[in-house]
Amino acid sequence: MRRLTAVVMALTVVALGCSGEDDSGSAGGALSSSRRDGTASTSSTTVAPPAPRSTVVIAHRGASAYAPEHTFASYDLALEQGADYIEQDLQMTADGQLVVLHDPILDRTARGPADACTGPVASKTLAQLSACDVGSWFNEAHPDRADPAFAQLRIPTLREVLERYAGRARFYIETKSPEAQPGMEQALLDVLDEVGPPADGTSAAGERSVIIQSFSAESLRLVHSLRPELPLVLLLVTSGEPLDPAILDGVGDYAVGVGPSSGNVDEALVDAAHSQCLDVHPYTVDDPAEMTRLIAAGVDGLFTNAPDVLRPLVAALPGGRDACG
């Protein structure tokens, strides 16, 4: 009877509202009227508040404050520093391969033969890009953090990143300028199908093992149409002012969250997003005071170049709120 009561109560909660997922691996607030062990609450009139959620630590291009962005060195360090997710920006080569690089133009971070390592990524084959060094620029820009080993770093493919970190990292992947790179979404899904993580974006433990983000709602809608189970996040093009919550309308039709610039986030926006069952993952925050403000506002995750700064704050400060709690 207790088991039947728990099931009925859980179904009632789902019928009345939407369910949230805890990115730290715990169940969200959808079953708040039953205990986490599956038994019914002892009170028929009091609903226990959902357990606090930890703010998710998302390593922006890896631990890119300390190592060259989007390299194995940066990702390795991010995981050592306690990141929950490592981020990948996608570019597509002339021969249809997905590589992990932020800029569509190679010149800022690539060094090597001019015919292979300058100009648009889309004009180069994967073989050409293999000649490019994407670590020396960091040594030039940050001599206090320079490491001779960085000069040996190469542009990784998405496949290489997923294979290297399988089972020990969660992935936050951005379709970068997909309108200019047709076919990127299908290529991404093909790689996920072939090497993982699970196609629905959820691990056996119930965690979101992969999240897809984009500034392009059209790109996300296409991914949603092809893989409706994948968790998607819409990045918001924002100014320096708090956002009008109306910007969130309709996002929940295809996405589980939004990614605004950190300066546009206040508690009112977080409340509005949570009322629509949307997580809020602001970008990109390295200042401890700003991290503290945003955690207090109830954000569900934060992008940072310095996971080692954010991780202890997340551990020390009260947890966030369930998106539908």
Side-chain angles (χ1 to χ4, degrees), residues 14-169:
V14 172
L16 291 175
C18 46
S19 62
E21 179 191 339
D22 184 346
D23 279 318
S24 66
S26 301
L31 302 182
S32 57
S33 61
S34 62
R35 294 176 180 160
R36 293 189 180 272
D37 62 4
T39 61
S41 170
T42 56
S43 169
S44 60
T45 58
T46 302
V47 176
R53 299 170 55 172
S54 292
T55 304
V56 174
V57 178
I58 308 163
H60 182 243
R61 312 181 198 177
S64 55
Y66 311 108
E69 63 190 58
H70 290 320
T71 63
F72 290 155
S74 188
Y75 292 144
D76 288 347
L77 184 57
L79 295 177
E80 290 175 15
Q81 293 181 349
D84 295 303
Y85 287 87
I86 52 175
E87 183 202 25
Q88 296 80 46
D89 292 311
L90 299 184
Q91 303 292 339
M92 182 174 280
T93 66
D95 49 345
Q97 300 299 307
L98 292 179
V99 295
V100 180
L101 195 73
H102 178 270
D103 298 359
I105 304 297
L106 290 158
D107 299 50
R108 179 176 68 89
T109 59
R111 303 291 182 269
D115 62 336
C117 304
T118 62
V121 177
S123 69
K124 315 299 180 185
T125 65
L126 182 59
Q128 287 178 297
L129 294 181
S130 68
C132 302
D133 152 24
V134 287
S136 292
W137 75 271
F138 185 90
N139 291 344
E140 298 162 4
H142 306 286
D144 57 321
R145 284 163 273 172
D147 185 333
F150 291 164
Q152 307 302 318
L153 297 174
R154 297 293 182 259
I155 300 171
T157 65
L158 177 62
R159 180 185 298 273
E160 289 169 339
V161 172
L162 296 179
E163 290 177 342
R164 179 182 176 94
Y165 298 103
R168 57 192 181 103

Side-chain angles (χ1 to χ4, degrees), residues 236 238-242 259-266 269 280-286 290-291 293-294 299 302-303:
L236 302 177
T238 55
S239 63
E241 301 298 326
S261 177
S262 60
N264 301 116
V265 178
D266 57 14
L269 178 69
V280 182
H281 292 171
Y283 62 86
T284 300
V285 188
D286 294 336
E290 181 70 349
M291 291 173 176
R293 180 187 75 81
L294 291 163
V299 300
L302 279 173
F303 282 84

Side-chain angles (χ1 to χ4, degrees), residues 240-325:
E241 301 298 326
L243 291 171
D244 182 349
I247 198 172
L248 306 172
D249 292 346
V251 175
D253 294 343
Y254 57 89
V256 301
V258 291
S261 177
S262 60
N264 301 116
V265 178
D266 57 14
E267 191 167 341
L269 178 69
V270 175
D271 287 344
H274 285 180
S275 73
Q276 298 190 42
C277 303
L278 294 170
D279 285 347
V280 182
H281 292 171
Y283 62 86
T284 300
V285 188
D286 294 336
D287 176 61
E290 181 70 349
M291 291 173 176
T292 300
R293 180 187 75 81
L294 291 163
I295 293 170
V299 300
D300 306 280
L302 279 173
F303 282 84
T304 182
N305 301 307
D308 62 329
V309 177
L310 179 55
R311 173 50 66 193
L313 291 176
V314 167
L317 295 171
R321 295 164 292 171
D322 284 310
C324 298

Side-chain angles (χ1 to χ4, degrees), residues 152-267:
Q152 307 302 318
L153 297 174
R154 297 293 182 259
I155 300 171
T157 65
L158 177 62
R159 180 185 298 273
E160 289 169 339
V161 172
L162 296 179
E163 290 177 342
R164 179 182 176 94
Y165 298 103
R168 57 192 181 103
R170 288 184 268 171
F171 306 94
Y172 213 120
I173 305 171
E174 180 175 348
T175 59
K176 205 77 178 172
S177 304
E179 295 87 352
Q181 304 181 79
M184 174 179 283
E185 295 86 358
Q186 187 60 59
L188 166 58
L189 296 176
D190 289 344
V191 174
L192 290 177
D193 287 344
E194 292 169 16
V195 301
D200 65 355
T202 305
S203 71
E207 300 168 336
R208 289 173 179 162
S209 54
V210 59
I211 295 174
I212 310 301
Q213 65 176 344
S214 185
F215 282 101
S216 170
E218 291 72 18
S219 179
L220 294 181
R221 288 191 181 98
L222 175 57
V223 173
H224 183 69
S225 70
L226 297 170
R227 295 288 192 282
E229 302 86 358
L230 273 173
L232 310 178
V233 168
L234 177 65
L235 291 165
L236 302 177
V237 179
T238 55
S239 63
E241 301 298 326
L243 291 171
D244 182 349
I247 198 172
L248 306 172
D249 292 346
V251 175
D253 294 343
Y254 57 89
V256 301
V258 291
S261 177
S262 60
N264 301 116
V265 178
D266 57 14
E267 191 167 341

